[in-house]
Every structure is written in C-alpha cells, then in structure tokens.
C-alpha cells in the first residue's frame, strides 16, 4: 500500500541558469522510465534527453547503468514506503492509518510503476528490492493490527491478507480497470474490505 508523499517545491533559479542535476534527479527519472517501459527502459541516453542534459552528467554521479538502477530502486523504497510510513506517524489512531493506506494506495493503483517492477521480478536487483519492500510493508501493517488488539500471529496473517488485497487491486486496476468500483461505490468497497480485515469473532 502506497501513497506518494507531497514533495516540497524547489527554489526557482534566475532566468537563464540551469539547476545542477543530482543523483536523485537521475534516480527519479529512471523510476519514471521504469513506470513507462519496465527495467529495459533504463538507458542513459534517453534519460539524459528526458532531463535535458548529456551523458557527462550521468557519469559524474554513476559508474554505470547498474548503479543507476540500484539508485532508482532505493529511491522507490524511500518514496513509496519509508516516506509513507513517516507521514502516517502523525495519525495516532491505527485504524485511521490503515484506512489511509487503503484509500491513498488504491487511489494511486493506476500508476504503472509497481506493476512494472512486479513484472521484472526475475531481475535479482528488483527481486531483492521487492522482498525488502514487501517485508517492510507487511510488517508495518501487522504492527497496526497489533495496535488494534490482535495477537501477533493473527496480526501477521491479516497484514499479509491486506497486502495481497492491495496487490490484487493494483494488478486489476492496471489490467482490467473497468472491473473495479468507482466514485461512491469505491468508498463502499473499501469499507467492506476494511470491515473484513478488522472483524473479530
């Protein structure tokens, strides 16, 4: 379950000057390329063109394409998992945190980045990043269920169920978007999912 945290605006530069690109700029451009065309779309020259720069800028920050892929995957982990968890810390109610994860995560489900990463899980670097992110996300959701009074084993099972529901949602949203409810029906659907996850005998 993910939601993109709001990014702070950058200071404007005087007209006629260009901001020096950072390794983060390259990593985020690589992430955008993965979302559009999968891991194969991470190529130095097209990304340089996207950023309006040359390959020289790339080699200032990275030794090779593999280092850029690693940086992009680390940025994905930071933006789509760690930053989300940090942002949710402001909400003291674990049930509201869980609802925010589902509401915001499924609202962003049409974005293809995670689908593209799942589709390239055969790549060892992607597989390792997916494992880390999956463990972190399920663990965090399980902690929410513990906070809601569930025993640890049951909280873990429900955390796993919640995450598989999320993954199913984003896959379906990408492949057959018309099959998912929209508008007020979407709110009712999410309520029913959460009611199921939170139900105690």
């Amino acid at each position: 379950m993910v939601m993109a945290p709001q990014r702070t605006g950058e200071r404007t530069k005087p007209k006629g000057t260009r901001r020096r690109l950072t390794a983060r700029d390259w990593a985020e451009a690589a992430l955008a390329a993965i979302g559009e065309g999968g891991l194969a779309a991470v190529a130095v020259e097209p990304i340089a063109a996207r950023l309006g720069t040359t390959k020289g800028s790339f080699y200032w920050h990275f030794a090779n394409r593999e280092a850029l892929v690693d940086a992009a995957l680390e940025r994905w982990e930071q933006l789509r998992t760690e930053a989300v968890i940090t942002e949710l810390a402001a909400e003291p109610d674990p049930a509201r945190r869980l609802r925010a994860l589902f509401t915001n995560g499924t609202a962003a489900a049409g974005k293809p980045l995670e689908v593209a990463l799942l589709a390239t899980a055969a790549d060892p670097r992607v597989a390792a990043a997916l494992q880390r992110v999956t463990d972190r996300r399920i663990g965090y959701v399980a902690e929410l269920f513990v906070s809601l009074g569930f025993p640890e084993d049951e909280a873990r099972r429900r955390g796993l169920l919640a995450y598989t529901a999320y993954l199913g949602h984003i896959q379906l949203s990408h492949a057959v978007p018309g099959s998912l409810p929209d508008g007020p029906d979407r709110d009712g659907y999410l309520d029913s999912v959460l009611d199921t996850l939170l139900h105690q005998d």
Side-chain angles (χ1 to χ4, degrees):
M1 285 157 280
V2 296
M3 60 182 181
Q6 292 185 351
R7 297 177 59 187
T8 56
E10 295 172 349
R11 291 183 299 174
T12 57
K13 297 284 184 180
K15 195 170 184 180
T17 63
R18 283 200 315 189
R19 180 176 64 85
R20 183 184 298 273
L21 292 174
T22 65
R24 176 178 293 184
D25 294 321
W26 278 92
E28 291 181 357
L31 272 183
I34 292 170
E36 294 166 6
L39 199 60
V42 180
V44 176
E45 288 190 11
I47 293 176
R50 177 194 291 266
L51 291 170
T53 190
T54 65
K55 289 195 296 183
S57 171
F58 169 79
Y59 288 111
W60 180 260
H61 297 292
F62 300 100
N64 49 42
R65 175 185 178 272
E66 288 69 30
L68 176 58
V69 170
D70 289 340
L73 292 172
E74 288 174 13
R75 189 66 182 144
W76 169 65
E77 291 182 56
Q78 176 58 38
L79 285 174
R80 301 294 180 91
T81 300
E82 296 305 327
V84 173
I85 290 171
T86 298
E87 194 170 279
L88 286 171
E91 171 54 65
D93 183 347
R96 289 180 184 270
R97 290 189 199 181
L98 189 61
R99 178 171 292 278
L101 281 173
F102 265 91
T103 301
N104 293 292
T106 55
K111 297 181 180 179
L113 176 57
E114 298 215 359
V115 174
L117 288 171
L118 290 166
T120 55
D123 182 281
R125 291 162 303 177
V126 176
L130 285 169
Q131 186 67 63
R132 289 192 302 271
V133 165
T134 298
D135 290 345
R136 178 72 166 119
R137 291 176 178 177
I138 292 173
Y140 177 73
V141 177
E143 289 172 10
L144 294 181
F145 281 111
V146 169
S147 298
L148 289 164
F150 291 91
E152 286 194 11
D153 287 349
E154 181 63 21
R156 176 74 183 178
R157 282 192 290 271
R158 295 198 185 214
L160 179 58
L161 178 59
Y163 194 61
T164 55
Y166 163 71
L167 288 182
H169 189 98
I170 65 168
Q171 291 280 14
L172 198 56
S173 179
H174 178 72
V176 195
S179 64
L180 292 170
D182 197 11
D185 291 339
R186 177 177 177 274
D187 294 338
Y189 161 72
L190 291 178
D191 286 341
S192 68
V193 171
L194 289 167
D195 287 346
T196 300
L197 289 169
L198 294 170
H199 177 74
Q200 299 190 56
D201 293 328

